[in-house]
Amino acid sequence: MFQIDRSANRLRKLERTSFSEVGFREREHLQEWLATMPDALCEAMSEGEDGLLIIQKEFDGFDGTRERLDLLALDKSGQLVVIENKLDDSGRDVVWQALKYAAYCSSLKKAEIVGIFQQYLDRHGSGDAASTICEFLGEDTLDQVVLNDGTDQRIIFIAANFRREVTATVLWLREHQIDARCIKVMPYKFEEELFIDLQQVIPTPEAADYMIRMAEKDSEEKSAKGELRRSHQTRLEFWSEVLEAMKKAGLERWQNINPSRDHWIHSSIGVSGCTLTLIFLRQEIRVEFQLNRTSREENKWLFDQLLAERESALSGL
Protein backbone atom coordinates (compact mmCIF):
# COMPACT_ATOMS: atom_id res chain seq x y z
CA MET A 1 0.00 0.00 0.00
CA PHE A 2 1.30 3.43 -0.93
CA GLN A 3 0.60 7.03 0.01
CA ILE A 4 0.57 9.72 -2.70
CA ASP A 5 2.78 12.71 -2.02
CA ARG A 6 1.21 15.36 -4.22
CA SER A 7 3.81 18.04 -3.62
CA ALA A 8 6.69 15.78 -4.66
CA ASN A 9 4.58 13.79 -7.14
CA ARG A 10 5.89 10.58 -5.62
CA LEU A 11 4.61 7.46 -3.91
CA ARG A 12 5.54 6.68 -0.35
CA LYS A 13 5.34 3.07 0.69
CA LEU A 14 3.36 2.27 3.81
CA GLU A 15 5.14 -0.15 6.09
CA ARG A 16 3.36 -3.43 6.74
CA THR A 17 3.30 -4.12 10.45
CA SER A 18 1.49 -6.45 12.87
CA PHE A 19 -1.18 -5.81 15.47
CA SER A 20 1.06 -7.07 18.26
CA GLU A 21 3.88 -4.76 17.16
CA VAL A 22 1.71 -1.64 17.39
CA GLY A 23 0.01 -2.82 20.57
CA PHE A 24 -3.51 -3.54 19.33
CA ARG A 25 -5.64 -6.24 20.93
CA GLU A 26 -8.47 -8.32 19.52
CA ARG A 27 -11.42 -7.40 21.76
CA GLU A 28 -10.39 -3.94 22.84
CA HIS A 29 -9.47 -2.70 19.37
CA LEU A 30 -10.33 -4.79 16.27
CA GLN A 31 -13.67 -5.98 17.62
CA GLU A 32 -14.62 -2.47 18.67
CA TRP A 33 -13.66 -1.00 15.29
CA LEU A 34 -15.84 -3.49 13.42
CA ALA A 35 -18.75 -3.20 15.87
CA THR A 36 -18.91 0.56 15.36
CA MET A 37 -18.09 0.48 11.62
CA PRO A 38 -19.51 -2.73 10.07
CA ASP A 39 -19.47 -0.96 6.69
CA ALA A 40 -15.72 -1.66 6.66
CA LEU A 41 -16.57 -5.36 6.30
CA CYS A 42 -19.23 -4.66 3.69
CA GLU A 43 -16.76 -2.68 1.59
CA ALA A 44 -14.31 -5.58 1.70
CA MET A 45 -16.80 -8.14 0.43
CA SER A 46 -16.60 -8.78 -3.29
CA GLU A 47 -20.37 -8.88 -3.82
CA GLY A 48 -20.76 -5.36 -2.44
CA GLU A 49 -22.63 -6.30 0.75
CA ASP A 50 -25.60 -3.99 1.29
CA GLY A 51 -25.08 -3.73 5.02
CA LEU A 52 -24.64 -5.50 8.34
CA LEU A 53 -26.37 -4.66 11.61
CA ILE A 54 -24.32 -5.62 14.66
CA ILE A 55 -26.76 -6.94 17.28
CA GLN A 56 -24.37 -8.24 19.96
CA LYS A 57 -20.74 -8.38 21.09
CA GLU A 58 -19.27 -11.26 23.07
CA PHE A 59 -22.55 -13.14 22.79
CA ASP A 60 -22.69 -15.92 25.38
CA GLY A 61 -26.37 -16.89 25.34
CA PHE A 62 -25.69 -20.58 24.71
CA ASP A 63 -27.27 -22.94 27.23
CA GLY A 64 -24.78 -25.13 29.06
CA THR A 65 -21.63 -23.44 27.72
CA ARG A 66 -19.41 -20.51 28.61
CA GLU A 67 -18.41 -19.83 25.02
CA ARG A 68 -18.62 -16.37 23.51
CA LEU A 69 -18.77 -15.45 19.85
CA ASP A 70 -17.06 -12.19 18.95
CA LEU A 71 -19.75 -10.40 16.93
CA LEU A 72 -23.28 -11.36 15.96
CA ALA A 73 -24.95 -9.47 13.11
CA LEU A 74 -27.94 -9.47 10.77
CA ASP A 75 -27.65 -9.07 7.03
CA LYS A 76 -30.19 -7.49 4.69
CA SER A 77 -31.98 -10.82 4.17
CA GLY A 78 -32.58 -11.18 7.91
CA GLN A 79 -30.04 -13.98 8.33
CA LEU A 80 -27.69 -14.18 11.27
CA VAL A 81 -23.99 -13.60 10.60
CA VAL A 82 -21.37 -15.02 12.96
CA ILE A 83 -18.18 -12.93 12.88
CA GLU A 84 -15.00 -14.35 14.39
CA ASN A 85 -12.06 -11.98 14.84
CA LYS A 86 -8.42 -12.91 15.18
CA LEU A 87 -5.41 -10.65 14.96
CA ASP A 88 -2.09 -11.67 13.40
CA ASP A 89 -2.91 -15.38 13.09
CA SER A 90 -6.22 -17.18 12.56
CA GLY A 91 -5.20 -20.18 14.67
CA ARG A 92 -6.27 -23.74 13.91
CA ASP A 93 -9.57 -23.94 15.78
CA VAL A 94 -11.41 -20.84 14.55
CA VAL A 95 -13.53 -22.76 12.03
CA TRP A 96 -14.65 -25.29 14.63
CA GLN A 97 -15.53 -22.47 17.02
CA ALA A 98 -17.55 -20.58 14.39
CA LEU A 99 -19.43 -23.69 13.27
CA LYS A 100 -20.46 -24.35 16.87
CA TYR A 101 -21.68 -20.78 17.21
CA ALA A 102 -23.61 -20.95 13.94
CA ALA A 103 -25.23 -24.19 15.10
CA TYR A 104 -26.16 -22.62 18.44
CA CYS A 105 -27.63 -19.55 16.71
CA SER A 106 -29.58 -21.55 14.13
CA SER A 107 -32.40 -22.16 16.63
CA LEU A 108 -32.84 -18.53 17.69
CA LYS A 109 -36.37 -17.23 17.17
CA LYS A 110 -37.39 -13.72 16.16
CA ALA A 111 -38.32 -12.68 19.71
CA GLU A 112 -34.99 -13.96 21.03
CA ILE A 113 -33.03 -12.07 18.38
CA VAL A 114 -34.88 -8.85 19.14
CA GLY A 115 -34.20 -9.40 22.85
CA ILE A 116 -30.49 -10.00 22.23
CA PHE A 117 -30.25 -6.79 20.22
CA GLN A 118 -32.17 -4.82 22.85
CA GLN A 119 -29.68 -5.96 25.50
CA TYR A 120 -26.87 -4.74 23.27
CA LEU A 121 -28.53 -1.36 22.75
CA ASP A 122 -29.19 -0.98 26.48
CA ARG A 123 -25.52 -1.57 27.27
CA HIS A 124 -24.06 0.55 24.48
CA GLY A 125 -26.26 3.62 24.34
CA SER A 126 -29.96 3.58 23.64
CA GLY A 127 -32.54 2.70 21.03
CA ASP A 128 -35.41 0.36 20.27
CA ALA A 129 -34.34 -2.99 18.82
CA ALA A 130 -37.60 -3.74 17.01
CA SER A 131 -37.80 -0.41 15.19
CA THR A 132 -34.08 -0.47 14.33
CA ILE A 133 -34.39 -3.93 12.79
CA CYS A 134 -37.48 -2.86 10.82
CA GLU A 135 -35.68 0.19 9.49
CA PHE A 136 -32.59 -1.86 8.59
CA LEU A 137 -34.65 -4.46 6.67
CA GLY A 138 -36.99 -1.91 5.10
CA GLU A 139 -40.19 -3.17 6.74
CA ASP A 140 -42.93 -1.18 8.49
CA THR A 141 -43.67 -3.56 11.35
CA LEU A 142 -41.92 -6.41 13.12
CA ASP A 143 -44.69 -8.79 11.99
CA GLN A 144 -43.46 -8.32 8.41
CA VAL A 145 -39.88 -9.16 9.32
CA VAL A 146 -38.47 -12.66 8.75
CA LEU A 147 -35.39 -13.40 10.86
CA ASN A 148 -33.03 -16.39 10.87
CA ASP A 149 -35.13 -18.36 8.39
CA GLY A 150 -33.91 -21.88 7.57
CA THR A 151 -30.28 -22.93 7.90
CA ASP A 152 -28.60 -20.10 5.99
CA GLN A 153 -26.55 -18.65 8.83
CA ARG A 154 -23.38 -17.01 7.52
CA ILE A 155 -19.83 -17.01 8.91
CA ILE A 156 -17.11 -14.39 8.46
CA PHE A 157 -13.53 -15.02 9.58
CA ILE A 158 -11.22 -12.04 10.07
CA ALA A 159 -7.44 -12.24 10.58
CA ALA A 160 -4.17 -10.91 9.21
CA ASN A 161 -3.08 -14.41 8.18
CA PHE A 162 -5.10 -17.58 7.67
CA ARG A 163 -3.65 -21.00 8.22
CA ARG A 164 -3.95 -23.55 5.45
CA GLU A 165 -6.30 -25.78 7.43
CA VAL A 166 -8.64 -22.81 7.86
CA THR A 167 -8.72 -21.79 4.20
CA ALA A 168 -9.14 -25.40 3.04
CA THR A 169 -12.09 -25.89 5.38
CA VAL A 170 -13.75 -22.62 4.37
CA LEU A 171 -13.49 -23.59 0.69
CA TRP A 172 -15.05 -26.98 1.51
CA LEU A 173 -17.89 -25.28 3.41
CA ARG A 174 -18.60 -23.04 0.43
CA GLU A 175 -18.73 -26.07 -1.86
CA HIS A 176 -21.49 -27.36 0.40
CA GLN A 177 -23.52 -24.14 0.15
CA ILE A 178 -22.47 -22.70 3.51
CA ASP A 179 -21.71 -19.00 3.16
CA ALA A 180 -18.33 -18.82 4.88
CA ARG A 181 -15.69 -16.30 3.91
CA CYS A 182 -12.27 -15.04 4.97
CA ILE A 183 -11.40 -11.36 5.19
CA LYS A 184 -7.77 -10.41 5.67
CA VAL A 185 -7.18 -7.35 7.85
CA MET A 186 -3.69 -5.92 7.51
CA PRO A 187 -2.21 -3.05 9.59
CA TYR A 188 0.13 -0.49 8.04
CA LYS A 189 1.99 2.50 9.41
CA PHE A 190 3.56 5.61 7.97
CA GLU A 191 5.51 7.70 10.41
CA GLU A 192 3.02 8.22 13.27
CA GLU A 193 -0.08 7.33 11.28
CA LEU A 194 -1.69 3.88 11.33
CA PHE A 195 -3.92 2.31 8.68
CA ILE A 196 -5.71 -0.99 8.17
CA ASP A 197 -6.73 -2.61 4.91
CA LEU A 198 -9.50 -5.21 4.70
CA GLN A 199 -9.65 -7.54 1.71
CA GLN A 200 -11.83 -10.55 1.09
CA VAL A 201 -9.58 -13.48 0.17
CA ILE A 202 -12.17 -16.29 0.12
CA PRO A 203 -13.93 -16.17 -2.19
CA THR A 204 -11.56 -14.03 -4.21
CA PRO A 205 -13.25 -11.06 -5.92
CA GLU A 206 -12.54 -12.54 -9.35
CA ALA A 207 -13.96 -15.95 -8.47
CA ALA A 208 -16.92 -14.92 -6.33
CA ASP A 209 -19.55 -14.88 -9.10
CA TYR A 210 -18.15 -18.07 -10.62
CA MET A 211 -18.24 -19.88 -7.28
CA ILE A 212 -21.83 -18.76 -6.69
CA ARG A 213 -22.88 -20.06 -10.13
CA MET A 214 -21.03 -23.35 -9.58
CA ALA A 215 -22.68 -23.77 -6.17
CA GLU A 216 -26.11 -23.15 -7.72
CA LYS A 217 -25.33 -25.62 -10.52
CA ASP A 218 -24.17 -28.23 -8.01
CA SER A 219 -27.35 -27.69 -5.98
CA GLU A 220 -29.49 -28.18 -9.09
CA GLU A 221 -27.59 -31.35 -10.02
CA LYS A 222 -28.00 -32.76 -6.52
CA SER A 223 -31.71 -31.96 -6.65
CA ALA A 224 -32.00 -33.69 -10.03
CA LYS A 225 -30.15 -36.75 -8.70
CA GLY A 226 -32.47 -36.85 -5.70
CA GLU A 227 -35.49 -36.67 -7.99
CA LEU A 228 -34.05 -39.50 -10.09
CA ARG A 229 -33.56 -41.68 -6.99
CA ARG A 230 -37.14 -41.02 -5.92
CA SER A 231 -38.38 -41.92 -9.42
CA HIS A 232 -36.40 -45.17 -9.35
CA GLN A 233 -37.87 -46.05 -5.96
CA THR A 234 -41.41 -45.23 -7.14
CA ARG A 235 -41.01 -47.44 -10.21
CA LEU A 236 -39.55 -50.29 -8.16
CA GLU A 237 -42.49 -50.18 -5.77
CA PHE A 238 -45.00 -49.93 -8.64
CA TRP A 239 -43.63 -52.93 -10.54
CA SER A 240 -43.40 -54.96 -7.32
CA GLU A 241 -47.13 -54.47 -6.73
CA VAL A 242 -48.02 -55.07 -10.39
CA LEU A 243 -46.04 -58.32 -10.60
CA GLU A 244 -47.45 -59.54 -7.29
CA ALA A 245 -50.98 -58.92 -8.61
CA MET A 246 -50.15 -60.79 -11.84
CA LYS A 247 -48.82 -63.75 -9.93
CA LYS A 248 -51.99 -63.91 -7.85
CA ALA A 249 -54.02 -63.73 -11.06
CA GLY A 250 -52.15 -66.76 -12.43
CA LEU A 251 -50.46 -65.00 -15.37
CA GLU A 252 -47.62 -67.47 -15.78
CA ARG A 253 -45.44 -65.52 -18.18
CA TRP A 254 -44.87 -62.89 -15.44
CA GLN A 255 -44.02 -65.36 -12.65
CA ASN A 256 -40.22 -65.11 -13.00
CA ILE A 257 -39.93 -61.42 -13.88
CA ASN A 258 -38.19 -59.17 -11.35
CA PRO A 259 -39.26 -55.60 -10.51
CA SER A 260 -37.32 -52.89 -12.31
CA ARG A 261 -36.21 -49.32 -11.61
CA ASP A 262 -36.87 -48.52 -15.28
CA HIS A 263 -40.20 -47.43 -16.68
CA TRP A 264 -40.71 -50.74 -18.46
CA ILE A 265 -40.53 -54.52 -17.92
CA HIS A 266 -40.30 -57.23 -20.61
CA SER A 267 -41.73 -60.72 -20.87
CA SER A 268 -41.47 -63.40 -23.54
CA ILE A 269 -44.69 -64.86 -24.98
CA GLY A 270 -43.10 -68.21 -25.79
CA VAL A 271 -42.33 -67.36 -29.42
CA SER A 272 -38.74 -66.57 -30.35
CA GLY A 273 -38.17 -62.92 -31.21
CA CYS A 274 -41.50 -61.76 -29.77
CA THR A 275 -41.70 -59.78 -26.52
CA LEU A 276 -44.41 -58.11 -24.50
CA THR A 277 -43.47 -54.83 -22.80
CA LEU A 278 -45.40 -53.04 -20.06
CA ILE A 279 -44.59 -49.31 -19.92
CA PHE A 280 -45.27 -47.03 -16.96
CA LEU A 281 -44.89 -43.27 -17.65
CA ARG A 282 -45.85 -40.13 -15.74
CA GLN A 283 -48.94 -39.51 -17.91
CA GLU A 284 -49.79 -42.96 -19.24
CA ILE A 285 -49.46 -46.72 -18.92
CA ARG A 286 -49.37 -48.84 -22.07
CA VAL A 287 -48.49 -52.26 -23.50
CA GLU A 288 -46.21 -52.79 -26.49
CA PHE A 289 -45.81 -55.98 -28.52
CA GLN A 290 -42.52 -56.26 -30.42
CA LEU A 291 -41.71 -58.47 -33.39
CA ASN A 292 -38.00 -59.11 -33.79
CA ARG A 293 -37.80 -62.24 -35.92
CA THR A 294 -34.76 -62.88 -38.09
CA SER A 295 -36.42 -61.90 -41.36
CA ARG A 296 -38.79 -59.22 -42.48
CA GLU A 297 -41.05 -61.84 -44.08
CA GLU A 298 -41.51 -63.64 -40.76
CA ASN A 299 -42.36 -60.39 -38.97
CA LYS A 300 -44.85 -59.52 -41.73
CA TRP A 301 -46.48 -62.96 -41.54
CA LEU A 302 -46.87 -62.73 -37.77
CA PHE A 303 -48.26 -59.23 -38.03
CA ASP A 304 -50.82 -60.31 -40.62
CA GLN A 305 -51.90 -63.22 -38.41
CA LEU A 306 -52.40 -60.93 -35.43
CA LEU A 307 -54.29 -58.42 -37.53
CA ALA A 308 -56.58 -61.15 -38.87
CA GLU A 309 -57.30 -62.43 -35.35
CA ARG A 310 -58.02 -58.88 -34.21
CA GLU A 311 -60.51 -58.32 -37.02
CA SER A 312 -62.15 -61.66 -36.31
CA ALA A 313 -62.48 -60.85 -32.63
CA LEU A 314 -63.96 -57.42 -33.39
CA SER A 315 -66.49 -58.84 -35.84
CA GLY A 316 -67.75 -61.21 -33.17
CA LEU A 317 -68.57 -58.41 -30.76
Side-chain angles (χ1 to χ4, degrees), residues 26-38 53-62 67-74 81-85 101 105 113 115-125:
E26 178 186 319
R27 292 182 181 177
E28 184 179 348
H29 297 107
L30 179 59
Q31 181 174 286
E32 191 64 24
W33 300 338
L34 297 176
T36 56
M37 180 59 75
L53 178 65
I54 304 298
I55 64 170
Q56 192 55 271
K57 292 190 300 184
E58 296 296 316
F59 179 61
D60 61 354
F62 309 126
E67 296 176 294
R68 297 170 178 262
L69 69 84
D70 293 336
L71 293 172
L72 185 62
L74 286 173
V81 183
V82 172
I83 303 171
E84 277 298 290
N85 305 313
Y101 300 151
C105 290
I113 293 170
I116 290 167
F117 186 32
Q118 189 62 60
Q119 292 174 3
Y120 176 74
L121 292 176
D122 292 343
R123 286 201 307 267
H124 301 280

Side-chain angles (χ1 to χ4, degrees), residues 94-268:
V94 64
V95 176
W96 168 236
Q97 291 172 346
L99 286 175
K100 287 191 295 182
Y101 300 151
Y104 296 154
C105 290
S106 65
S107 62
L108 290 176
K109 305 294 190 298
K110 181 193 294 187
E112 294 174 307
I113 293 170
V114 174
I116 290 167
F117 186 32
Q118 189 62 60
Q119 292 174 3
Y120 176 74
L121 292 176
D122 292 343
R123 286 201 307 267
H124 301 280
S126 61
D128 180 69
S131 61
T132 303
I133 290 173
C134 290
E135 181 180 357
F136 176 72
L137 297 178
E139 299 291 354
D140 295 326
T141 66
L142 196 61
D143 290 338
Q144 298 172 311
V145 169
V146 177
L147 297 179
N148 204 29
D149 185 36
T151 57
D152 294 328
Q153 293 75 33
R154 299 169 54 196
I155 304 172
I156 299 176
F157 301 101
I158 302 169
N161 293 287
F162 292 96
R163 298 199 185 190
R164 182 178 179 84
E165 51 263 55
V166 173
T167 56
T169 306
V170 170
L171 287 169
W172 183 86
L173 290 171
R174 292 189 65 84
E175 289 177 359
H176 289 77
Q177 287 76 58
I178 296 175
D179 189 347
R181 58 189 71 198
C182 294
I183 294 180
K184 181 176 285 190
V185 54
M186 296 164 287
Y188 293 87
K189 65 180 180 178
F190 181 76
E191 296 178 351
E192 297 301 318
E193 293 186 90
L194 296 173
F195 307 85
I196 64 166
D197 181 39
L198 291 94
Q199 296 181 14
Q200 180 170 285
V201 292
I202 297 179
T204 60
E206 296 79 7
D209 291 341
Y210 172 77
M211 292 177 72
I212 291 171
R213 290 197 301 271
M214 289 302 295
E216 290 174 348
K217 178 176 179 291
D218 184 59
S219 179
E220 290 175 359
E221 289 177 351
K222 288 180 178 178
S223 177
K225 289 179 181 178
E227 181 64 28
L228 183 61
R229 285 194 295 268
R230 288 190 291 273
S231 296
H232 285 170
Q233 184 61 31
T234 299
R235 291 168 184 164
L236 195 64
E237 293 172 359
F238 173 79
W239 289 128
S240 297
E241 293 187 18
V242 168
L243 291 170
E244 183 64 27
M246 288 180 171
K247 290 177 182 179
K248 291 180 179 179
L251 300 176
E252 295 183 1
R253 67 169 53 91
W254 301 100
Q255 298 299 309
N256 298 317
I257 304 299
N258 293 321
S260 171
R261 297 189 310 169
D262 296 315
H263 63 272
W264 70 85
I265 55 173
H266 297 300
S267 175
S268 171

Side-chain angles (χ1 to χ4, degrees), residues 42-92:
C42 300
E43 290 289 335
M45 295 187 201
S46 56
E47 294 89 351
E49 182 81 34
D50 289 336
L52 290 173
L53 178 65
I54 304 298
I55 64 170
Q56 192 55 271
K57 292 190 300 184
E58 296 296 316
F59 179 61
D60 61 354
F62 309 126
D63 291 339
T65 78
R66 294 183 178 180
E67 296 176 294
R68 297 170 178 262
L69 69 84
D70 293 336
L71 293 172
L72 185 62
L74 286 173
D75 66 14
K76 285 291 187 177
S77 66
Q79 291 294 350
L80 288 174
V81 183
V82 172
I83 303 171
E84 277 298 290
N85 305 313
K86 301 298 178 184
L87 288 178
D88 296 314
D89 178 51
S90 66
R92 293 187 176 89

